[in-house]
Amino acid sequence: MEPRIVHGDLLDQDVEVIVNAWNRNVIPWWLLLPQGVSGAIKRRGGLEPFRELGRMGPIPLGGAVETGAGRLPFRAIIHVAGINLLWRSSERSIRDSTRNALALAGARGHRSLAFPLIGAGSGGGDPAKVLELMHDELSAVEFDGEVRIVCYHVTP
């Protein structure tokens, strides 16, 4: 499968499901100040996806879980544990998160999803390297649908 690379805002994508790069869900969500994609979801989608996520308990590194989308126009949000307890991403956490999010989307019957660059924000990963790892991982799996990797660029 060949993912489509796009530039823009993850929350503006015309897909069924978006992926949120999250943490291991060990610290209660209400103690955190969501940043990046999580912060945008909180601002535009409300707190309900995070309340639902908090009830799920710890997520293994690289794991994926699904919640509702709150006020966002998507069918669901897939949250991946892309950073470790020291708030850093690794090749393994990026690859596992990418693969597990896609597997969950397929198991739930979703036909289109959009990924951010997992671990490139708070996780400290180099965006070009993260894109390379995600593209490589997605190219090696089968998925009967559309997959986008969304590169967010801040305009100065």
Side-chain angles (χ1 to χ4, degrees):
M1 187 231 10
E2 186 64 29
R4 185 171 149 210
I5 312 301
V6 299
H7 297 273
D9 189 326
L10 181 75
L11 302 187
D12 293 336
Q13 301 303 307
D14 184 20
V15 294
E16 292 179 344
V17 177
I18 59 169
V19 176
N20 177 34
W22 190 237
N23 59 58
R24 302 256 340 263
N25 223 23
V26 175
I27 300 170
W29 70 269
W30 43 268
L31 285 177
L32 301 171
L33 297 173
Q35 306 174 64
V37 172
S38 297
I41 290 170
K42 181 181 172 188
R43 286 188 300 278
R44 288 173 53 183
L47 295 175
E48 190 50 41
F50 296 100
R51 288 185 180 123
E52 191 176 340
L53 183 59
R55 291 189 292 270
M56 294 180 177
I59 304 168
L61 187 62
V65 297
E66 182 180 291
T67 68
R71 295 188 308 260
L72 294 171
F74 307 108
R75 287 178 58 192
I77 299 171
I78 294 176
H79 306 267
V80 294
I83 57 176
N84 63 26
L85 294 175
L86 299 174
W87 297 89
R88 302 320 279 159
S89 62
S90 65
E91 179 174 345
R92 177 179 164 238
S93 69
I94 293 165
R95 286 184 180 278
D96 288 354
S97 293
T98 301
R99 186 176 52 258
N100 289 327
L102 193 62
L104 181 56
R108 299 288 172 105
H110 301 307
R111 305 273 302 145
S112 61
L113 73 157
F115 285 87
L117 292 174
I118 296 169
S122 298
D126 173 62
K129 182 64 176 172
V130 170
L131 178 59
E132 177 186 320
L133 292 170
M134 291 180 67
H135 188 274
D136 182 59
E137 197 63 35
L138 290 168
S139 297
V141 297
E142 292 294 321
F143 181 74
D144 190 25
E146 179 191 3
V147 176
R148 298 177 189 183
I149 301 173
V150 182
C151 301
Y152 182 74
H153 290 290
V154 178
T155 307

